[in-house]
Amino acid sequence: MKARVNDGCISCGMCIGTCPEVFRFNDEGVAEAYADVAPEYEETAAQARDDCPVSVIDLEQ
């Protein structure tokens, strides 16, 4: 599975707090997906997507 953080991130850090194995802040201070979503993190990555207050996270198989 692949994750992507689209434009519009508000730098709240919710995704990073939920799934730091996939998300981190980049040099501009916004979240990015820096790793493919391993099977053991699919559930927490989906939770990060669902909890994002601005709905900017996409998950693709």
Side-chain angles (χ1 to χ4, degrees), residues 3-61:
R4 182 178 61 227
V5 179
N6 300 309
D7 290 339
C9 175
I10 59 171
S11 304
C12 71
M14 179 82 65
C15 59
I16 297 163
T18 302
C19 190
E21 298 82 8
V22 175
F23 302 99
R24 67 177 175 197
F25 284 121
N26 65 18
D27 292 339
E28 287 81 42
V30 295
E32 68 177 0
Y34 70 95
D36 288 343
V37 182
E40 61 267 27
Y41 301 122
E42 288 182 2
E43 189 173 317
T44 54
Q47 188 66 49
R49 177 201 58 208
D50 295 346
D51 291 347
C52 179
V54 289
S55 301
V56 295
I57 297 173
D58 289 330
L59 298 175
E60 303 170 348
Q61 289 292 350

